[in-house]
């Protein structure tokens, strides 16, 4: 199995190398990078490229590691016993399989995405060490061991909200998705909008990178936000010439709500515009 990117996902050589190295080593691929740089999309495209199923486990702040294995619904079993339901005689009726269980019992090799692992408690990664290492876990309620039929290709994403434990990092192949350069962004835009005007893309990238370079910006616009912004510019028939001739003393670019996502950054851009107007007097 080799990943070479897809027609709808522009992967750099470093990223393709990291994906294929993780597959060869049979280790989880830990992907970090700015939000909006295509970390989650990578797993989707990888599954599509390999022609296999994608199983996604979206991690939240309340997610516990055992939920990825299974959950035992003791409350439902107690209720059914009070109602005289015959289902209570088989405890398996009250065990809900988690995403790891689904991946382990799949009859073909699948891609398992553990998305935004850093959202969970700090102990969450450590609680999965043995399962990810041995590709098996024990179900105490039934006394059975669930082993992976085929070792899944595991992609783990993180937005760096908190540090991950060293013991967990040692078991992963790590890759940081650096923010794309201009040429890579052009290729990404072309994938999303084939035939888009070169002039519009060129001027939009100028504005986009100018916004990203503003000192003190709380949230820099990402790749996905650039794609959304271009869609709005095309829908409103804003051409490259409009962006090129834009008054530098204006507060923010047109349709900037697709790029700037909080009031602090809007106010920062407005202050910079005010200072620019004063220097132009």
């Amino acid at each position: 199995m080799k990943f070479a990117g897809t027609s709808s996902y522009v992967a750099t050589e470093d990223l393709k190398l990291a994906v294929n190295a993780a597959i060869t080593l049979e280790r989880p691929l830990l992907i970090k990078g700015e939000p909006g740089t295509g970390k989650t999309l990578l797993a989707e495209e990888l599954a599509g490229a390999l022609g296999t199923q994608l199983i996604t486990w979206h991690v939240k702040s309340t997610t516990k590691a055992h939920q990825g294995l299974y959950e035992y619904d003791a409350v439902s079993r107690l209720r059914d016993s009070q109602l005289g339901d015959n289902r209570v005689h088989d405890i398996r009726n009250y065990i809900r399989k988690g995403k790891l269980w689904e991946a382990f019992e799949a009859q073909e090799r699948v891609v398992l995405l553990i998305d935004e692992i850093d959202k969970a408690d700090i102990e969450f990664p450590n609680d999965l060490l043995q399962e990810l290492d041995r590709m098996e876990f024990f179900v105490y309620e039934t006394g059975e061991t669930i082993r992976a039929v085929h070792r899944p290709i595991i992609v783990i994403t993180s937005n760096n909200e908190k540090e991950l434990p060293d013991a967990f990092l040692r078991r992963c192949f790590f890759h940081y998705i650096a923010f794309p350069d201009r040429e890579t962004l052009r290729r990404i835009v072309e994938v999303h909008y084939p035939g888009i005007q070169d002039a519009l893309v060129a001027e939009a990238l100028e504005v986009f990178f100018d916004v990203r370079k503003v000192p003190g910006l709380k949230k820099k616009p990402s790749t996905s936000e650039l794609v959304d912004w271009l869609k709005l510019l095309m829908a409103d028939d804003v051409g490259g010439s409009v962006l090129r001739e834009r008054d530098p003393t204006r507060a923010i670019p047109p349709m900037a709500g697709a790029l700037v996502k909080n009031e602090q950054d809007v106010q920062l851009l407005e202050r910079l515009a005010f200072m620019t107007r004063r220097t132009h007097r």
Side-chain angles (χ1 to χ4, degrees), residues 99-117:
K99 297 299 183 180
L100 264 72
W101 191 329
E102 288 182 32
F104 284 7
E105 71 176 3
Q107 295 306 302
E108 63 176 7
R109 195 177 193 187
V110 301
V111 174
L112 172 63
L113 169 63
I114 304 178
D115 199 26
E116 298 189 330
I117 194 172

Side-chain angles (χ1 to χ4, degrees), residues 231-250:
K231 183 177 182 179
L232 291 174
L233 293 178
M234 290 188 295
D236 211 43
D237 200 24
V238 176
S241 59
V242 175
L243 296 179
R244 183 170 57 254
E245 297 166 5
R246 185 173 63 90
D247 183 354
T249 63
R250 286 188 58 184

Side-chain angles (χ1 to χ4, degrees), residues 183-194:
E183 183 54 36
T184 304
L185 280 176
R186 283 178 182 273
R187 291 165 56 201
I188 291 171
V189 169
E190 182 64 28
V191 164
H192 286 273
Y193 309 120

Side-chain angles (χ1 to χ4, degrees), residues 190-250:
E190 182 64 28
V191 164
H192 286 273
Y193 309 120
I196 187 173
Q197 294 179 6
D198 289 340
L200 174 59
V201 176
E203 296 302 329
L205 286 176
E206 287 295 326
V207 175
F208 176 75
F209 278 107
D210 282 347
V211 173
R212 279 185 59 87
K213 287 187 294 186
V214 171
L217 207 62
K218 186 174 181 181
K219 183 193 178 305
K220 295 180 180 180
S222 66
T223 306
S224 62
E225 287 157 346
L226 170 65
V227 171
D228 288 345
W229 185 49
L230 280 167
K231 183 177 182 179
L232 291 174
L233 293 178
M234 290 188 295
D236 211 43
D237 200 24
V238 176
S241 59
V242 175
L243 296 179
R244 183 170 57 254
E245 297 166 5
R246 185 173 63 90
D247 183 354
T249 63
R250 286 188 58 184

Side-chain angles (χ1 to χ4, degrees), residues 136-139 142-147:
E136 65 178 37
F137 62 89
F138 186 71
V139 183
T142 64
E144 62 183 327
T145 298
I146 305 300
R147 295 185 176 87

Side-chain angles (χ1 to χ4, degrees), residues 31-245:
I31 295 288
K32 291 186 179 182
E34 289 185 28
T37 50
K39 299 185 297 294
T40 300
L41 186 58
L42 170 65
E44 299 173 6
E45 295 295 328
L46 176 59
L50 301 180
T52 190
Q53 179 187 2
L54 173 67
I55 296 176
T56 303
W57 184 11
H58 293 293
V59 177
K60 301 178 181 179
S61 60
T62 56
T63 302
K64 301 299 180 184
H66 71 84
Q67 294 172 318
L69 308 178
Y70 69 93
E71 291 184 273
Y72 169 51
D73 191 353
V75 174
S76 293
R77 193 181 188 201
L78 175 62
R79 182 195 63 219
D80 288 349
S81 67
Q82 293 170 339
L83 296 174
D85 194 320
N86 287 330
R87 283 165 34 93
V88 300
H89 300 300
D90 187 353
I91 198 170
R92 288 178 176 81
N93 291 323
Y94 303 94
I95 291 180
R96 294 198 293 266
K97 298 177 182 179
K99 297 299 183 180
L100 264 72
W101 191 329
E102 288 182 32
F104 284 7
E105 71 176 3
Q107 295 306 302
E108 63 176 7
R109 195 177 193 187
V110 301
V111 174
L112 172 63
L113 169 63
I114 304 178
D115 199 26
E116 298 189 330
I117 194 172
D118 54 322
K119 281 188 175 180
D121 184 85
I122 188 62
E123 291 303 319
F124 179 92
N126 281 335
D127 291 342
L128 290 176
L129 289 181
Q130 179 171 318
E131 290 75 14
L132 295 180
D133 254 357
R134 299 185 179 180
M135 286 288 126
E136 65 178 37
F137 62 89
F138 186 71
V139 183
Y140 293 95
E141 289 77 7
T142 64
E144 62 183 327
T145 298
I146 305 300
R147 295 185 176 87
V149 178
H150 301 282
R151 191 179 188 98
I153 298 170
I154 301 174
V155 178
I156 303 172
T157 69
S158 169
N159 286 325
N160 253 349
E161 291 185 11
K162 61 171 68 77
E163 290 296 324
L164 299 174
D166 288 345
F168 179 78
L169 294 175
R170 283 198 301 270
R171 288 163 169 83
C172 298
F173 189 94
F174 172 75
H175 181 73
Y176 182 85
I177 298 182
F179 194 81
D181 57 22
R182 288 175 187 260
E183 183 54 36
T184 304
L185 280 176
R186 283 178 182 273
R187 291 165 56 201
I188 291 171
V189 169
E190 182 64 28
V191 164
H192 286 273
Y193 309 120
I196 187 173
Q197 294 179 6
D198 289 340
L200 174 59
V201 176
E203 296 302 329
L205 286 176
E206 287 295 326
V207 175
F208 176 75
F209 278 107
D210 282 347
V211 173
R212 279 185 59 87
K213 287 187 294 186
V214 171
L217 207 62
K218 186 174 181 181
K219 183 193 178 305
K220 295 180 180 180
S222 66
T223 306
S224 62
E225 287 157 346
L226 170 65
V227 171
D228 288 345
W229 185 49
L230 280 167
K231 183 177 182 179
L232 291 174
L233 293 178
M234 290 188 295
D236 211 43
D237 200 24
V238 176
S241 59
V242 175
L243 296 179
R244 183 170 57 254
E245 297 166 5

